[in-house]
Amino acid sequence: MAERGAHLTTSSLEVDDRPSIFEVIAQESLMGTVRPALQHVVKVLADSSPARYGWLWRWFDEIYVALDLLLQHHYLSQTSASFSENFYGLKRVALWGQGVGSRLACRGLPRRHHWRSLLLLALLPYCRVKLEKFLARLREEEDFSIHLPRAPWKKLYKAFLAAYPFTSMVWEGWVFSQQLLYVFGRTWHHSPLLRLAGVRLVNLTAEDIRAMDLQPLLTAGSGTNQSAREKLRLFLSRAVGGVAFSLSTGLSVGVFFLQFLEWWYSSENQDTIKTLTSLPTPPPPVHLDEQTDQLTLPKHQSLCPLCHKTRANDTALATSGYVFCYRCAYTCVKRQQRCPLTGYPTELQHLIKLYSPDG
């Protein structure tokens, strides 16, 4: 089975430095799991202390895209790859220009390909997230008829809402077809975004790894005979690189922890936890009044526990959950200030009228 499937990772293009489809899909899914996990952590912090961490939740998209820009810029400059691509030992190679195929990863991408890659890696996902939130708000307004499309420009909202799912479907189909062509070796790219950036992914070579290991030593040795302006520029570059490196190191160490959090708070795992930790319903509390023996629950559920007649205007007590007639519950709670069956302290605001579908 493995021998028959081995040809899927070697293409008819006969290129040895092409990564397999499993590597490129894995590096894409890596950054796809970091954002939801970080978003969940920020949401937990905001729920625990809204006054202190609420701003993190309100500006999460902007903070994340700023950190993502810093991180991706550092890795594109130092390794010619994004964070996730470098994590899997890949680099980006320009399809045209000088030094194509012989440029070391530590030299970074050419300027044009660098900014194209940075735009598509960080800003494009940010715009897509904002667009999806905008569409969700439009759907909610349309469902609740908050804004009726009377003006001509408002009529474009419905057309946009109707066209977006088909546009998204076409895009996903294009990506899937590119991945199939990449599997069978008919294209250099597994994603249309790489074609737009003018680059392709290849595996890191031994020379690239050796040059990246020697890069900090060469940078430190070249700073002896420099002007003040160049030293300041070098200092700022090192500071930005240090922040990006600390972020990347934190992500590298915490990526598995974030994936664990994502699994832990998933709906399937929470259902399992609830099933394992579910306990039987505790018995009702003992009545606190000395005359409670006179009050017994009726045999039929449609009867009121106080007047033992068919309930009229069903009313539940929020403190105990028992249902009475509205007049019986109102009179008893107003006089005794507690539930007549459980003795729990109860006020009139705890009366909840129930409305059956038949009524």
Side-chain angles (χ1 to χ4, degrees):
M1 204 60 182
E3 294 177 355
R4 293 185 177 181
H7 72 282
L8 294 179
T9 57
T10 59
S11 64
S12 60
L13 294 174
E14 298 295 337
V15 179
D16 296 332
D17 58 355
R18 292 176 68 247
S20 66
I21 186 64
F22 307 106
E23 291 175 316
V24 296
I25 295 299
Q27 63 88 18
E28 284 188 349
S29 62
L30 175 61
M31 291 304 295
T33 57
V34 170
R35 181 188 176 90
L38 287 177
Q39 192 172 13
H40 183 79
V41 172
V42 172
K43 187 176 185 301
V44 171
L45 292 176
D47 292 340
S48 62
S49 180
R52 180 177 298 179
Y53 302 109
W55 64 275
L56 287 176
W57 177 252
R58 292 191 298 269
W59 297 97
F60 175 79
D61 295 333
E62 286 71 20
I63 296 174
Y64 182 84
V65 72
L67 295 178
D68 194 23
L69 279 171
L70 183 64
L71 181 69
Q72 304 297 358
H73 174 70
H74 171 74
Y75 270 88
L76 288 173
S77 302
Q78 302 296 326
T79 65
S80 299
S82 66
F83 164 72
S84 58
E85 292 165 357
N86 179 259
F87 188 83
Y88 282 93
L90 309 178
K91 71 172 182 178
R92 296 189 172 207
V93 176
L95 293 178
W96 60 85
Q98 295 181 350
V100 174
S102 61
R103 190 184 183 96
L104 293 176
C106 62
R107 296 180 57 190
L109 289 171
R111 181 177 298 272
R112 179 184 301 177
H113 301 90
H114 175 90
W115 291 110
R116 283 185 182 180
S117 299
L118 187 62
L119 175 67
L120 296 175
L121 282 171
L123 293 182
L124 185 62
Y126 169 76
C127 296
R128 184 174 182 178
V129 169
K130 286 298 185 182
L131 179 61
E132 290 178 352
K133 289 185 177 181
F134 176 70
L135 290 174
R137 187 170 67 252
L138 289 182
R139 293 191 187 98
E140 184 177 356
E141 293 177 355
E142 184 182 13
D143 293 339
F144 291 96
S145 299
I146 297 177
H147 296 293
L148 296 178
R150 296 178 180 177
W153 64 272
K154 290 184 178 180
K155 293 181 180 180
L156 296 176
Y157 284 174
K158 280 194 172 182
F160 187 60
L161 288 175
Y164 182 77
F166 296 99
T167 306
S168 180
M169 181 181 64
V170 171
W171 171 257
E172 296 297 335
W174 187 16
V175 172
F176 181 70
S177 63
Q178 283 288 115
Q179 292 176 355
L180 284 180
L181 293 175
Y182 184 85
V183 168
F184 293 103
R186 301 299 180 182
T187 181
W188 294 101
H189 313 87
H190 73 282
S191 172
L193 296 180
L194 291 176
R195 182 182 294 272
L196 293 177
V199 296
R200 66 184 182 93
L201 290 179
V202 297
N203 291 310
L204 285 174
T205 62
E207 290 79 6
D208 292 325
I209 299 175
R210 191 180 304 111
M212 285 189 292
D213 293 337
L214 296 176
Q215 184 66 19
L217 300 177
L218 296 176
T219 304
S222 62
T224 56
N225 300 322
Q226 289 182 343
S227 62
R229 182 176 181 181
E230 292 177 349
K231 289 183 178 180
L232 178 61
R233 183 178 180 182
L234 180 61
F235 173 76
L236 294 177
S237 177
R238 287 180 179 178
V240 173
V243 174
F245 179 75
S246 61
L247 290 175
S248 63
T249 304
L251 286 177
S252 301
V253 175
V255 63
F256 298 104
F257 175 71
L258 294 176
Q259 290 179 346
F260 171 76
L261 286 179
E262 183 183 8
W263 167 81
W264 179 262
Y265 289 101
S266 62
S267 58
E268 295 83 1
N269 186 54
Q270 289 299 314
D271 294 339
T272 305
I273 294 176
K274 290 179 180 179
T275 303
L276 296 176
T277 59
S278 61
L279 298 175
T281 305
V286 181
H287 199 288
L288 301 178
D289 195 0
E290 297 179 355
Q291 301 178 354
T292 54
D293 296 335
Q294 300 178 358
L295 290 177
T296 58
L297 292 176
K299 297 181 180 180
H300 300 284
Q301 296 182 355
S302 61
L303 301 180
C304 175
L306 294 177
C307 64
H308 293 277
K309 297 179 181 179
T310 303
R311 291 193 303 267
N313 295 330
D314 295 358
T315 302
L317 296 185
T319 54
S320 63
Y322 287 103
V323 183
F324 309 89
C325 299
Y326 177 77
R327 179 174 296 181
C328 297
Y330 181 86
T331 304
C332 183
V333 171
K334 186 177 181 180
R335 184 176 64 254
Q336 299 180 1
Q337 300 294 318
R338 63 185 182 185
C339 174
L341 293 179
T342 63
Y344 280 171
T346 307
E347 298 179 1
L348 293 178
Q349 62 182 1
H350 296 141
L351 299 178
I352 301 176
K353 297 193 68 175
L354 305 178
Y355 299 93
S356 60
D358 298 337

